[in-house]
Amino acid sequence: MESSQRFSSLAFIALLAYFAFLASAELHVREFVIQPKPVKRLCRTHESITVNGQFPGPTLEVRNGDSLAITVINKARYNISIHWHGIRQLRNPWADGPEYITQCPIRPGQSYTYRFTIEDQEGTLWWHAHSRWLRATVYGALIIYPRLGSPYPFHMPKRDIPILLGEWWDRNPMDVLRQAQFTGAAANVSDAYTINGQPGDLYRCSRSETVRFPIFPGETVQLRVINAGLNQELFFSVANHQLTVVETDSAYTKPFTTSVIMIGPGQTTNVLLTANQRPGRYYMAARAYNSANAPFDNTTTTAILEYVNAPTRRGRGRGQIAPVFPVLPGFNDTATATAFTNRLRYWKRAPVPLQVDENLFFTVGLGLINCSNPNSPRCQGPNGTRFAASINNQSFVLPRRNSIMQAYYQGMPGIFTTDFPPVPPVQFDYTGNVSRGLWQPVKGTKAYKLKYKANVQIVLQDTSIVTPENHPMHLHGYQFYVVGSGFGNFNPRTDPARFNLFDPPERNTIGTPPGGWVAIRFVADNPGAWFMHCHIDSHLGWGLAMVFLVENGRGQLQSVQAPPLDLPRC
Ligand code: C2O
């Protein structure tokens, strides 16, 4: 064969392979119509904001490598934006969704198409509104299957069940938020938790609609547990059944077995469950893990795991037997929560950055803003103050005139500054008895710049200001490795020596131990403006957030793409 001929036949084969690869990837075109819909829970009907009239919203099922084009049509009376929680959105912050961070909100009557591709991700993620408290009802599962022919690292059951844990208010959640924003006090806690939108047997007017999962004896199923709740970490358990954890936040783990999981808002956990108990009916239940010294919703949501051959009662009172109830940890059982989280390991050796270019230390916690008139109706926080929250004493305020990403891209000044502090402005005993003079944060819209491909370490240090608490910290645009954690103050001399740089769990949301710290590492390989915040919406509203501005690299494939033409304007 002549060499040019040989070359062209090789090129032809390569081209064929490329087309086969493309053909296996799909484009999912969907419409998400944001619209009010009457939803009855706890004996009362509310006009809930929904996607396509569904609550919870539609489940998206895609494969690694697929693309999505989701047109969000806003037929509600609120501004809205949708976030694809955990999707990396490589070089494409325009599709990420947080309002005023990467886009201006979609106004009533307008629409925007989120176009993005799944690049090297598989597992359970989810989507939700990223606009004030609309995610109370606007959320759904986003399931990414591996590429065709690509195996799971464990024996994947045939059946797969999404379990969306949510929080329900017997009021319009936007009014609950508005009231809290006016008074400066903490928002009312929710009235119920839900499993796939239903509170379950332990709430008024709910029994007839409790979610039931039929199961065959001996069958193994995968539960994709998602905490879509606004403000509460949850314990989740299934009566008499062990759960084998295989994945968290779309990253596989070394499998391990437990009777209970703890899951913070924003997190996902896949578990396998085998129906190896006596044929019967078993509750799955979730209730609060409350680490703070603060009011919380102490109710319990349930669904029923029902063996198809469960016996029924005979004779009088004939019908289904009562389900068995699981043992759940106490509300403040930090030992159980920590023991669970500490068992998580990446499924294989993890490519953790070993050298660190950016060594960041962030205090995270609550605060109080003093009022000149403490008797004002707007100062109903503790002792006539308003609640706040901060990272390194900076209480984040969303811009209004433009989004940070658009302002950055257009070079528009006056929207944000890039002087977010890499360390706290003052050092103090973060988890001790903090003097009152350090309780008041400063408001601002500050970002922190990262060089393209910098190896970043962040130690997230909870403070005891107002109350120590588990803060589920979420980073947009990235997955990170959780290399270490502990209680008390982080010690930079002794703690790093104990970091797990071999198989630390990979996540997109990690809770600070209450009164403790957690260390994460990632490579800043995704240029753009990326929000990092506490996934407790009350805390987010109080300012527990900041933005990373990751600079472009040199190459074309290292720079943020051009924005889509229909990107909403402010
Ligand atoms: Cu799931 Cu910024 O959020």
Side-chain angles (χ1 to χ4, degrees):
M1 225 191 303
E2 238 174 84
S3 77
S4 71
Q5 232 179 342
R6 193 184 307 132
F7 174 77
S8 64
S9 59
L10 273 179
F12 182 69
I13 289 166
L15 206 65
L16 270 187
Y18 181 66
F19 280 128
F21 176 76
L22 281 188
S24 73
E26 253 183 86
L27 170 66
H28 303 260
V29 180
R30 300 286 288 265
E31 245 174 40
F32 272 24
V33 181
I34 310 295
Q35 58 189 98
K37 166 95 201 232
V39 178
K40 188 172 185 188
R41 296 289 185 275
L42 310 180
C43 322
R44 295 217 296 173
T45 302
H46 296 276
E47 285 288 308
S48 295
I49 306 299
T50 67
V51 166
N52 303 343
Q54 287 171 251
F55 171 69
T59 297
L60 295 173
E61 289 177 86
V62 304
R63 280 185 190 281
N64 183 11
D66 286 359
S67 296
L68 294 87
I70 299 174
T71 301
V72 176
I73 302 165
N74 188 358
K75 293 195 176 157
R77 63 192 170 103
Y78 303 107
N79 287 349
I80 201 167
S81 65
I82 303 285
H83 168 53
W84 317 93
H85 180 116
I87 300 286
R88 291 213 52 203
Q89 308 288 11
L90 290 168
R91 305 185 298 113
N92 183 24
W94 315 113
D96 191 40
E99 67 171 2
Y100 300 110
I101 305 297
T102 56
Q103 68 166 93
C104 298
I106 306 163
R107 304 201 174 275
Q110 311 213 308
S111 68
Y112 174 50
T113 302
Y114 291 88
R115 292 176 191 279
F116 55 95
T117 298
I118 315 288
E119 292 177 81
D120 279 323
Q121 290 192 274
E122 53 194 58
T124 308
L125 293 172
W126 60 299
W127 54 266
H128 62 78
H130 212 301
S131 224
R132 290 161 298 161
W133 275 25
L134 288 174
R135 81 174 177 87
T137 53
V138 179
Y139 63 84
L142 200 177
I143 297 171
I144 310 168
Y145 301 111
R147 287 180 193 280
L148 274 175
S150 158
Y152 291 90
F154 56 91
H155 185 78
M156 181 64 173
K158 283 206 188 61
R159 269 202 319 138
D160 212 16
I161 307 176
I163 306 276
L164 288 134
L165 307 175
E167 275 184 89
W168 179 262
W169 276 261
D170 193 18
R171 276 174 72 191
N172 177 348
M174 292 292 270
D175 293 341
V176 176
L177 173 65
R178 194 170 303 136
Q179 183 191 346
Q181 282 175 331
F182 178 80
T183 63
N188 289 358
V189 300
S190 53
D191 297 290
Y193 299 107
T194 55
I195 294 178
N196 293 352
Q198 287 295 340
D201 283 3
L202 306 185
Y203 297 88
R204 55 190 194 271
C205 309
S206 301
R207 241 200 143 90
S208 61
E209 287 178 289
T210 297
V211 177
R212 293 158 176 230
F213 300 104
I215 192 167
F216 293 95
E219 184 187 11
T220 298
V221 293
Q222 174 171 251
L223 309 180
R224 299 179 182 262
V225 187
I226 300 168
N227 186 345
L230 251 64
N231 296 327
Q232 194 62 60
E233 291 85 357
L234 296 166
F235 286 121
F236 171 86
S237 192
V238 182
N240 294 18
H241 289 77
Q242 294 286 312
L243 308 171
T244 302
V245 177
V246 291
E247 181 201 309
T248 55
D249 296 0
S250 77
Y252 298 117
T253 63
K254 293 196 168 77
F256 67 93
T257 296
T258 178
S259 61
V260 63
I261 66 168
M262 191 282 284
I263 183 164
Q267 296 184 320
T268 69
T269 305
N270 288 11
V271 297
L272 307 183
L273 177 151
T274 301
N276 54 10
Q277 295 301 301
R278 262 208 315 201
R281 305 174 76 226
Y282 300 88
Y283 276 124
M284 54 174 76
R287 73 172 188 191
Y289 160 47
N290 182 64
S291 59
N293 196 348
F296 65 99
D297 174 353
N298 63 4
T299 62
T300 305
T301 179
T302 56
I304 303 171
L305 186 73
E306 230 163 25
Y307 283 58
V308 293
N309 59 344
T312 46
R313 261 191 266 132
R314 284 159 200 269
R316 279 212 298 158
R318 191 187 164 81
Q320 286 169 318
I321 52 165
V324 183
F325 203 84
V327 183
L328 284 161
F331 293 120
N332 61 358
D333 191 345
T334 291
T336 295
T338 309
F340 170 73
T341 308
N342 286 349
R343 290 180 75 188
L344 296 168
R345 296 277 183 284
Y346 195 59
W347 66 293
K348 57 181 181 184
R349 176 159 201 161
V352 191
L354 300 178
Q355 308 302 322
V356 170
D357 306 312
E358 286 276 2
N359 196 350
L360 306 173
F361 185 80
F362 288 1
T363 55
V364 303
L366 305 188
L368 297 175
I369 304 275
N370 298 323
C371 289
S372 48
N373 173 12
N375 296 321
S376 152
R378 296 191 54 96
C379 300
Q380 296 186 45
N383 307 313
T385 61
R386 290 177 63 81
F387 269 110
S390 66
I391 302 180
N392 280 352
N393 207 44
Q394 285 295 325
S395 183
F396 188 83
V397 180
L398 286 174
R400 292 258 114 191
R401 287 190 297 122
N402 205 350
S403 77
I404 290 182
M405 188 61 219
Q406 282 160 290
Y408 175 58
Y409 196 83
Q410 300 156 0
M412 177 195 231
I415 301 296
F416 65 94
T417 56
T418 56
D419 54 348
F420 185 87
V423 294
V426 250
Q427 285 185 25
F428 57 97
D429 176 4
Y430 309 110
T431 52
N433 204 340
V434 183
S435 101
R436 286 272 164 166
L438 293 169
W439 283 36
Q440 179 161 267
V442 180
K443 289 190 179 181
T445 307
K446 292 185 194 295
Y448 188 83
K449 276 200 170 180
L450 291 172
K451 288 259 174 296
Y452 183 74
K453 283 266 168 98
N455 289 340
V456 184
Q457 172 175 299
I458 314 174
V459 174
L460 298 157
Q461 171 74 60
D462 183 34
T463 75
S464 54
I465 295 172
V466 184
T467 174
E469 183 162 5
N470 177 300
H471 293 284
M473 299 298 295
H474 172 47
L475 175 59
H476 287 226
Y478 287 89
Q479 293 276 119
F480 49 73
Y481 295 103
V482 183
V483 296
S485 66
F487 287 95
N489 298 335
F490 174 70
N491 184 330
R493 275 181 307 278
T494 56
D495 287 324
R498 301 198 321 255
F499 282 178
N500 176 5
L501 302 177
F502 183 75
D503 58 359
E506 184 191 314
R507 308 209 69 144
N508 59 51
T509 308
I510 185 67
T512 61
W517 56 271
V518 61
I520 64 173
R521 284 192 187 181
F522 61 95
V523 182
D525 58 0
N526 190 13
W530 304 107
F531 210 16
M532 188 170 83
H533 63 89
C534 179
H535 218 284
I536 292 180
D537 273 18
S538 288
H539 298 178
L540 172 56
W542 290 339
L544 217 173
M546 57 83 66
V547 170
F548 281 112
L549 265 189
V550 180
E551 294 175 350
N552 285 338
R554 284 176 203 283
Q556 210 212 337
L557 289 175
Q558 304 178 340
S559 303
V560 170
Q561 297 170 8
L565 295 172
D566 61 339
L567 188 68
R569 282 167 218 278
C570 278

